[in-house]
C-alpha cells in the first residue's frame, strides 16, 4: 500500500511539473488584439482558463512555475489535485509513524513524535496561510488556516466520532458493550461502544486544551480594543505549555497506567479472598459488633495448610491465591502472593501469624465498607458490602482496560529492524516534503476559488481541507473501530481525542505565533465559539461515561451542521467577523 501511494504521489507531482513546463496560453482573438494579450502573458508557463471571463485577469503562480487559474472550475481542479497530494502526505506520515513505533515502541516516540507528525499537514497549511506575501495578504489568507483548524476539530469529534460508534457497536449488557457480539441491530439503547477509563481522561484533556482559545478571545469578550496583542502572546505561551505538558503525559502515561492497573489487580485479589472467606465462614466472618470474628477466622486459618509452628508461609499463600482462580485479571501469581504477604506480614519475617492474619483481614474489611451500598452492618446482610466491594474492584479493573493477554493483539517482532527503520524514515521524509511543498499552492487555490465564486475561504477550508489532511487518520480510526472490542474502541476514541488536542495546542501554537509575530488581527470570534462548544460538549460527555449507546452517535452528527450554520449566522447575520 505504501509503495502504491508513493508511485501515485510521484506520478501526480511529475504530471503537474510536466504540464506546467510544456503548456502555454492559447487564444482565438484577432491578430491585432492577440499581440497585446500574448505580450501580457509573455513568460507565463501555464494558465488553466476554461470559462475565463476576462482575458486581462492575472493569477500569481506559486514558486513561479506551479499552475494557476482565475476561474472557479480551474481552481476547483487544483484544490482536488493538491488536496489529494496532502492526503498522500498524511498517509505517508501515518505509515512511517507506525513503522517507527514497531521498532522504538511507545514512550518518547508514541508520546511526542507521533502526535506531532499526525498534526503536521494541518500545521503546515496553517503556517503557509500566514506567511504568504505582505501582511495584508497574510491577513486575508489566514482565514484558510482558521477554517482548517476549526473544520478538522469539528469533523474528527463529530462525524468521525459518530461513525466509529456505528461501525463499532456491540450489544450492551449491564451498560457494558460485549466484545464481538452484535445481535441487536440498530437498537438506540441496546447497542453501543464501551471504552476504558483512560479514554475518558483523554476526553477530559481535550476539553481542557481549549483554554488558549478562551485567553486569546478575552479582550473580545470584554469588548475591549486594547490588550489584544498581549492576549495573543499570553495564549501562545499557554498553548506551548499545554503542548509540552500533553507530550510529557503521553510519554509517562503507559507507566502510570501500569501502576494503576497493578493496584487495581491487588484490590481485586483482596476482594476475592474476602469473598472466599465469607463463603467458607457461612456469613459469620464478623461478630455482632462488626469486628472480625476471631473464632471463625481461627478455624479458617487452620483450614489452610499452615506450618507446624502455626503460621502461613509463601507456599501456603500461593496455594490460597491460586485457588481463587482469578483468570479474568491476567494475574501474575508471584506478584499477587508478594503483595498479599506484605499486607499481612507486619513483622517482616516472611511468615503470617494468626494475629497478623486477623489484623490484615480487619483492614481489608474496613476498606470494603467504604464500597458498601447497604447501610446495615449487623445481622444476616452484614457482609453484603463484601460482595459490593468485589463487584466494584472487578469493574474498576475492567475500566482500566487490561488486555495483556489478548490473543488477537499479540505483538509481532520486526524481522529486519534496519530495513524497517530506513523505510520509516523515507516515508516520513516523503510525507513531510510533500506537505511542505504543496501546502502553499493549496492555500492559493482555495483563496483563488473563493475570489472566483465569492464563497468565503473559511467555509471552503472548513469543509474541504480537513477531508484531505485528516482522511488517513479518520479511515484508520474507523477501520480499527470495526474490530468491535473494548480495547480497539478505547484506542480509536483516544486517537480522536488526541488528534483534536494536538489541533488545540500544536496547530493553535503555530497560528498564534503567526498572528503575534506578523502583527495580524485576531478576529475569529464565531470560529472560536464553535471550537469551544464542540470540544467542551464532547469532552465533558466523553469524560463522564465509558459506555456510549448508539443514540449518542446522532448527537455527534448533529453538531457538525450546527457548527457550520452557527458560524454563518454569527458572521453574516450578526457581523461577528
Amino acid at each position: 500500500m505504501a509503495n502504491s501511494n508513493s508511485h501515485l504521489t510521484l506520478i501526480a507531482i511529475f504530471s503537474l511539473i510536466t504540464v506546467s513546463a510544456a503548456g502555454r496560453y492559447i487564444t482565438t482573438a484577432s491578430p491585432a488584439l492577440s499581440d497585446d494579450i500574448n505580450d501580457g502573458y509573455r513568460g507565463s508557463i501555464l494558465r488553466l482558463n476554461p470559462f475565463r471571463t476576462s482575458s486581462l485577469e492575472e493569477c500569481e503562480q506559486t514558486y513561479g512555475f506551479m499552475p494557476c487559474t482565475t476561474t472557479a472550475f480551474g481552481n476547483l481542479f487544483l484544490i482536488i489535485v493538491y488536496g489529494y497530494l496532502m492526503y498522500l502526505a498524511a498517509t505517508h506520515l501515518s505509515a512511517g509513524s507506525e513503522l517507527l513505533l514497531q521498532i522504538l515502541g511507545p514512550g518518547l516516540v508514541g508520546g511526542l513524535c507521533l502526535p506531532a507528525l499526525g498534526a503536521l499537514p494541518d500545521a503546515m497549511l496553517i503556517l503557509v496561510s500566514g506567511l504568504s506575501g505582505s501582511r495584508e495578504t497574510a491577513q486575508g489568507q489566514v482565514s484558510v488556516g482558521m477554517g482548517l483548524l476549526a473544520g478538522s476539530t469539528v469533523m474528527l469529534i463529530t462525524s468521525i466520532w459518530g461513525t466509529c460508534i456505528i461501525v463499532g457497536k456491540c450489544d450492551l449488557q449491564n451498560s457494558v458493550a460485549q466484545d464481538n457480539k452484535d445481535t441487536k441491530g440498530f437498537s438506540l439503547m441496546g447497542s453501543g461502544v464501551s471504552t476504558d477509563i483512560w479514554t475518558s481522561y483523554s476526553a477530559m484533556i481535550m476539553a481542557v486544551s481549549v483554554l488558549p482559545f478562551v485567553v486569546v478571545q478575552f479582550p473580545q469578550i470584554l469588548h475591549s480594543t486594547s490588550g489584544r496583542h498581549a492576549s495573543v502572546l499570553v495564549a501562545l505561551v499557554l498553548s506551548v505549555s499545554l503542548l509540552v505538558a500533553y507530550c510529557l503525559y503521553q510519554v509517562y502515561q503507559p507507566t502510570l497506567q501500569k501502576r494503576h492497573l497493578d493496584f487495581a489487580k491487588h484490590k481485586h485479589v483482596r476482594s476475592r479472598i474476602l469473598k472466599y472467606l465469607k463463603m467458607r465462614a457461612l456469613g459469620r466472618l464478623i461478630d455482632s459488633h462488626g469486628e472480625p470474628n476471631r473464632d471463625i477466622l481461627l478455624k479458617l486459618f487452620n483450614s489452610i495448610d499452615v506450618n507446624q509452628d502455626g503460621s502461613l508461609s509463601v507456599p501456603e499463600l500461593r496455594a490460597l491465591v491460586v485457588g481463587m482462580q482469578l483468570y479474568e485479571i491476567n494475574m501474575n501469581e508471584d506478584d499477587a502472593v508478594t503483595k498479599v504477604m506484605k499486607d499481612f506480614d507486619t513483622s517482616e519475617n516472611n511468615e503470617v501469624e494468626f494475629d497478623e492474619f486477623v489484623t490484615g483481614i480487619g483492614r481489608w474489611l474496613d476498606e470494603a465498607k467504604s464500597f458498601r451500598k447497604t447501610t446495615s452492618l449487623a445481622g444476616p446482610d452484614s457482609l453484603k458490602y463484601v460482595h459490593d466491594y468485589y463487584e466494584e474492584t472487578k469493574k474498576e479493573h475492567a475500566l482500566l482496560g487490561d488486555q495483556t493477554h489478548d490473543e488477537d493483539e499479540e505483538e509481532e517482532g520486526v524481522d529486519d529492524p534496519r530495513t524497517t527503520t530506513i523505510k520509516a524514515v523515507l516515508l516520513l521524509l516523503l510525507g513531510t516534503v510533500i506537505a511542505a511543498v504543496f501546502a502553499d499552492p493549496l492555500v492559493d487555490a482555495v483563496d483563488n476559488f473563493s475570489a472566483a465564486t465569492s464563497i468565503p475561504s473559511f467555509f471552503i477550508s472548513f469543509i474541504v481541507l480537513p477531508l484531505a489532511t485528516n482522511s488517513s487518520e479518520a479511515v484508520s480510526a474507523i477501520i480499527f473501530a470495526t474490530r468491535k472490542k473494548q480495547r480497539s474502541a478505547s484506542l480509536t476514541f483516544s486517537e480522536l481525542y488526541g488528534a483534536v488536542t494536538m489541533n488545540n495546542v500544536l496547530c493553535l501554537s503555530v497560528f498564534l505565533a503567526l498572528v503575534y509575530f506578523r502583527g495580524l488581527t485576531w478576529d475569529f470570534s464565531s470560529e472560536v465559539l464553535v471550537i469551544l462548544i464542540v470540544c467542551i460538549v464532547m469532552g465533558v460527555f466523553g469524560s463522564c461515561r465509558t459506555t456510549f449507546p448508539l443514540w449518542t452517535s446522532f448527537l455527534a452528527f448533529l453538531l457538525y451542521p450546527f457548527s457550520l450554520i452557527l458560524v454563518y449566522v454569527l458572521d453574516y447575520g450578526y457581523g461577528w467577523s
Side-chain angles (χ1 to χ4, degrees):
M1 183 64 183
N3 291 334
S4 176
N5 286 337
S6 300
H7 294 156
L8 288 173
T9 304
L10 295 175
I11 291 172
I13 296 173
F14 181 75
S15 299
L16 280 173
I17 296 175
T18 303
V19 170
S20 63
R24 67 182 184 89
Y25 178 75
I26 302 175
T27 181
T28 58
S30 63
L33 183 61
S34 176
D35 292 338
D36 294 335
I37 295 176
N38 287 332
D39 289 340
Y41 282 90
R42 183 171 296 136
S44 50
I45 302 173
L46 174 67
R47 299 293 188 274
L48 302 176
N49 286 286
F51 312 106
R52 188 177 183 87
T53 57
S54 174
S55 59
L56 297 177
E57 292 180 359
E58 284 280 358
C59 66
E60 183 179 352
Q61 294 175 312
T62 309
Y63 308 132
F65 68 90
M66 297 298 289
C68 71
T69 176
T70 57
T71 65
F73 288 109
N75 278 295
L76 179 61
F77 171 76
L78 290 179
I79 289 174
I80 293 174
V81 173
Y82 293 141
Y84 176 70
L85 289 169
M86 292 300 292
Y87 162 74
L88 289 181
T91 303
H92 292 320
L93 288 170
S94 176
S97 300
E98 291 178 2
L99 290 176
L100 202 62
L101 188 61
Q102 291 179 17
I103 301 169
L104 301 180
L108 184 62
V109 175
L112 180 59
C113 299
L114 301 193
L117 289 171
L120 182 62
D122 285 359
M124 199 72 68
L125 281 169
I126 292 171
L127 182 64
V128 300
S129 71
L131 289 178
S132 301
S134 64
R135 193 173 76 173
E136 291 72 19
T137 302
Q139 185 66 55
Q141 289 194 344
V142 79
S143 61
V144 175
M146 176 51 73
L148 173 63
L149 180 59
S152 295
T153 295
V154 173
M155 184 189 76
L156 288 171
I157 208 62
T158 58
S159 57
I160 303 303
W161 191 95
T163 303
C164 289
I165 292 286
I166 293 177
V167 301
K169 66 180 179 64
C170 297
D171 295 347
L172 296 182
Q173 183 176 339
N174 297 324
S175 299
V176 177
Q178 306 300 303
D179 287 354
N180 293 320
K181 186 178 181 182
D182 185 17
T183 61
K184 296 183 179 179
F186 284 88
S187 173
L188 296 180
M189 299 295 294
S191 61
V193 168
S194 290
T195 62
D196 58 34
I197 194 66
W198 299 99
T199 307
S200 299
Y201 296 159
S202 297
M204 189 184 306
I205 293 172
M206 180 189 71
V208 173
S209 68
V210 300
L211 284 176
F213 286 103
V214 178
V215 173
V216 73
Q217 199 65 27
F218 202 68
Q220 282 88 335
I221 296 175
L222 299 178
H223 302 286
S224 173
T225 56
S226 62
R228 293 195 176 191
H229 199 58
S231 68
V232 172
L233 178 61
V234 173
L236 174 59
V237 173
L238 178 59
S239 182
V240 173
S241 300
L242 288 176
L243 173 61
V244 174
Y246 179 69
C247 291
L248 290 176
Y249 170 77
Q250 290 294 318
V251 170
Y252 293 106
Q253 191 265 349
T255 302
L256 185 64
Q257 182 175 358
K258 184 178 183 302
R259 290 179 180 176
H260 277 265
L261 188 58
D262 289 343
F263 183 67
K265 285 182 179 181
H266 182 46
K267 282 174 53 176
H268 192 48
V269 170
R270 295 200 302 259
S271 69
R272 185 66 180 87
I273 292 177
L274 284 179
K275 185 179 180 181
Y276 171 79
L277 294 176
K278 172 194 170 186
M279 180 184 65
R280 293 286 302 273
L282 301 177
R284 296 177 295 165
L285 192 60
I286 59 175
D287 57 26
S288 58
H289 301 290
E291 299 296 328
N293 192 325
R294 293 183 65 89
D295 294 336
I296 297 298
L297 285 176
L298 179 60
K299 293 180 180 180
L300 292 174
F301 185 77
N302 290 329
S303 67
I304 305 172
D305 295 329
V306 298
N307 297 328
Q308 293 181 353
D309 60 355
S311 64
L312 287 174
S313 59
V314 172
E316 288 75 33
L317 278 179
R318 177 185 293 277
L320 176 64
V321 171
V322 172
M324 300 296 101
Q325 298 180 350
L326 298 173
Y327 305 121
E328 74 274 10
I329 66 171
N330 300 324
M331 181 185 63
N332 184 301
E333 295 174 1
D334 293 334
D335 184 59
V337 171
T338 300
K339 291 179 178 178
V340 170
M341 174 64 76
K342 185 177 181 180
D343 277 358
F344 285 131
D345 186 20
T346 56
S347 61
E348 299 182 356
N349 61 354
N350 213 31
E351 290 185 345
V352 180
E353 285 80 20
F354 175 67
D355 288 339
E356 292 176 327
F357 181 73
V358 173
T359 302
I361 294 298
R363 285 198 303 269
W364 288 2
L365 288 171
D366 289 339
E367 181 180 316
K369 289 176 184 177
S370 65
F371 290 92
R372 70 180 183 274
K373 298 178 182 178
T374 56
T375 57
S376 174
L377 292 179
D381 295 328
S382 60
L383 287 175
K384 175 67 168 60
Y385 63 83
V386 172
H387 174 75
D388 294 341
Y389 179 53
Y390 172 74
E391 292 297 328
E392 188 69 24
T393 57
K394 184 178 178 181
K395 179 181 178 181
E396 181 181 345
H397 174 263
L399 284 175
L400 288 174
D402 182 19
Q403 301 289 338
T404 307
H405 299 293
D406 192 337
E407 64 277 4
D408 294 333
E409 301 291 340
E410 293 182 359
E411 295 184 359
E412 297 182 0
V414 178
D415 295 332
D416 190 351
R418 184 173 180 274
T419 302
T420 304
T421 302
I422 295 175
K423 184 178 180 181
V425 171
L426 290 177
L427 285 172
L428 292 175
L429 287 175
L430 180 59
T432 303
V433 170
I434 295 173
V437 170
F438 292 100
D440 197 13
L442 178 56
V443 171
D444 289 341
V446 170
D447 200 45
N448 292 335
F449 181 79
S450 174
T453 60
S454 298
I455 299 176
S457 58
F458 170 83
F459 292 102
I460 302 171
S461 56
F462 186 95
I463 299 172
V464 177
L465 295 190
L467 296 176
T469 60
N470 294 279
S471 290
S472 177
E473 196 169 34
V475 171
S476 174
I478 292 172
I479 292 176
F480 208 67
T482 59
R483 297 185 181 182
K484 295 183 180 293
K485 289 188 176 183
Q486 182 190 20
R487 173 175 172 78
S488 59
S490 300
L491 293 175
T492 295
F493 289 102
S494 293
E495 179 182 352
L496 293 179
Y497 296 141
V500 173
T501 301
M502 291 302 290
N503 280 347
N504 292 343
V505 290
L506 175 60
C507 294
L508 180 61
S509 296
V510 174
F511 198 94
L512 290 172
L514 286 171
V515 172
Y516 182 78
F517 291 108
R518 295 216 65 183
L520 305 180
T521 302
W522 179 272
D523 191 18
F524 306 103
S525 298
S526 56
E527 294 86 343
V528 169
L529 180 61
V530 164
I531 293 174
L532 290 177
I533 291 175
V534 172
C535 287
I536 292 176
V537 168
M538 297 302 294
V540 172
F541 188 63
S543 63
C544 291
R545 60 192 305 160
T546 56
T547 296
F548 303 93
L550 185 60
W551 65 265
T552 60
S553 65
F554 298 101
L555 172 65
F557 286 137
L558 288 175
L559 280 175
Y560 188 85
F562 167 79
S563 302
L564 193 57
I565 293 172
L566 180 60
V567 172
Y568 182 83
V569 170
L570 292 178
D571 281 352
Y572 298 97
Y574 294 92
W576 275 32
S577 293

